[in-house]
């Protein structure tokens, strides 16, 4: 199911995939990324291209759909955690608001549709 969720995410334009460690942050746009799985490793992007990531499916225990209220907007993301509850990566829905800070209904629908596809559960376990 992890591969399915990641596949659905990378099909959506303007999702920012973020991997954060103590000393570095990697950000990668979802636009036109391919995805494939070989054994427990899921590769997002072109392995021979300038940017790609490998996700060990055995370490990802759950994904959480998050709506987080900020000062003047709500952010929408899906966060992936390991068995110890440490965040491994996030998929942040970007370009959700127009210039007047009004939510774009078509962008919100993409998030809502994905949430519904995974049984409207805030937390999806793998």
């Amino acid at each position: 199911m992890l591969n399915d969720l990641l596949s659905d995410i990378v099909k959506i334009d303007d999702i920012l995939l973020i991997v954060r460690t103590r000393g570095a942050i990697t950000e990668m746009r979802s636009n036109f990324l391919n995805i494939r799985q070989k054994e427990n490793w899921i590769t997002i992007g072109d392995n021979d291209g300038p940017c790609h990531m490998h996700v060990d499916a055995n370490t990802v225990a759950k994904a959480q759909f998050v709506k987080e209220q900020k000062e003047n907007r709500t952010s929408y993301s899906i966060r992936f955690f390991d068995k110890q509850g440490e965040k491994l990566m996030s998929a942040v829905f970007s370009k959700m608001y127009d210039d007047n800070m009004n939510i774009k209904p078509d962008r919100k629908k993409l998030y809502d549709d994905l949430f519904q596809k995974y049984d409207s559960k805030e937390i999806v376990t793998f």
Side-chain angles (χ1 to χ4, degrees), residues 99-126:
D99 293 338
N100 296 318
M101 292 307 293
N102 297 310
I103 192 141
K104 296 178 182 176
D106 58 325
R107 293 291 296 165
K108 184 172 182 309
K109 184 176 181 343
L110 292 170
Y111 179 89
D112 292 340
D113 288 350
L114 198 56
F115 181 71
Q116 287 180 352
K117 181 175 181 176
Y118 289 89
D119 298 327
S120 298
K121 294 180 183 175
E122 182 180 320
I123 296 176
V124 179
T125 55
F126 306 111

Side-chain angles (χ1 to χ4, degrees), residues 35-83:
I35 187 168
R36 66 193 171 288
Q37 184 167 2
K38 184 176 180 184
E39 298 175 8
N40 61 308
W41 288 98
I42 299 170
T43 301
I44 301 172
D46 183 2
N47 201 42
D48 296 324
C51 186
H52 63 277
M53 77 170 66
H54 303 287
V55 178
D56 183 351
N58 290 338
T59 64
V60 182
K62 66 181 178 180
Q64 182 176 8
F65 284 80
V66 178
K67 293 181 193 176
E68 185 175 16
Q69 188 62 46
K70 305 282 184 166
E71 185 175 316
N72 60 349
R73 63 184 171 83
T74 301
S75 66
Y76 297 82
S77 65
I78 302 169
R79 299 174 185 171
F80 296 85
F81 298 89
D82 66 15
K83 293 175 176 106

Side-chain angles (χ1 to χ4, degrees), residues 15-20 24-30 51 53:
I15 300 290
L16 194 58
L17 301 171
I18 302 171
V19 178
R20 181 183 308 245
I25 299 172
T26 300
E27 298 180 344
M28 188 167 88
R29 291 245 177 241
S30 63
C51 186
M53 77 170 66

